[in-house]
Amino acid sequence: MSVRRITPGRPRTKPAEERRADLMDAAEGVFAERGIDAARIDEITERAGVAIGTFYLHFSSKRDIMLAVQARFVDRLVERQHAAVRSLPADDWTGRVDAWLSDAVRAYVEHAELHDVLYGHTPINATTEMTHPVTGGLLLAFSPRRRITPG
């Protein structure tokens, strides 16, 4: 019979909130690289360094983790926006709006790929074609990185 040894003073596992954050961090990377539709749960768990069962302790599906990543994205943006205006006087509306808008643009630029994938703004996340409601013409998604030249 083998005896399992545990190193004194070191927990065997991470706390649940840390493990959940690891899974969400991994999902962000996989989503940004592959798109939500192409991302697989096993890729997320492999990147997070956990077993697939651990994923299901925290999330019920890929959609569930995507919604959690979206919520965390918004929470971080809101906190960042509050920090951008917190030091300015309450009656300095021009300064507060300027700081808020400047930070919003910086935040988007820093996290554009993740934002676009999470909120469906790039073709990497597209699975269906759309038609224009008035003209009936096909609407084509395009990436900001792709250059379109008049032909």
Side-chain angles (χ1 to χ4, degrees):
M1 181 168 146
S2 67
V3 176
R4 192 170 171 170
R5 293 185 180 172
I6 300 173
T7 307
R10 271 186 61 201
R12 283 182 13 190
T13 61
K14 289 183 177 181
E17 59 276 357
E18 276 186 53
R19 190 61 77 199
R20 182 178 171 87
D22 290 347
L23 283 161
M24 290 172 61
D25 292 343
E28 282 183 4
V30 174
F31 292 162
E33 290 168 17
R34 296 181 38 81
I36 293 168
D37 291 335
R40 295 187 331 263
I41 292 171
D42 65 312
E43 291 174 302
I44 294 168
T45 58
E46 183 177 323
R47 189 170 291 194
V50 301
I52 201 155
T54 304
F55 177 90
Y56 288 106
L57 289 173
H58 297 277
F59 304 99
S60 61
S61 64
K62 182 170 62 170
R63 176 171 163 61
D64 190 27
I65 195 170
M66 182 211 56
L67 293 172
V69 169
Q70 283 180 328
R72 185 172 78 166
F73 187 92
V74 170
D75 289 345
R76 287 176 172 174
L77 178 63
V78 167
E79 180 51 41
R80 185 179 167 143
Q81 296 284 269
H82 284 298
V85 299
R86 194 174 287 132
S87 64
L88 298 171
D91 62 348
D92 181 8
W93 287 103
T94 302
R96 291 171 73 86
V97 169
D98 182 57
W100 187 86
L101 287 172
S102 296
D103 187 70
V105 170
R106 270 193 302 281
Y108 177 76
V109 169
E110 290 170 12
H111 305 287
E113 286 182 358
L114 179 61
H115 172 276
D116 289 353
V117 169
L118 287 175
Y119 298 101
H121 295 283
T122 62
I124 195 169
N125 201 31
T127 57
T128 59
E129 295 179 342
M130 295 173 44
T131 56
H132 191 279
V134 175
T135 66
L138 182 64
L139 296 175
L140 301 174
F142 64 91
S143 169
R145 290 187 209 103
R146 189 182 302 164
R147 293 193 181 262
I148 298 181
T149 55

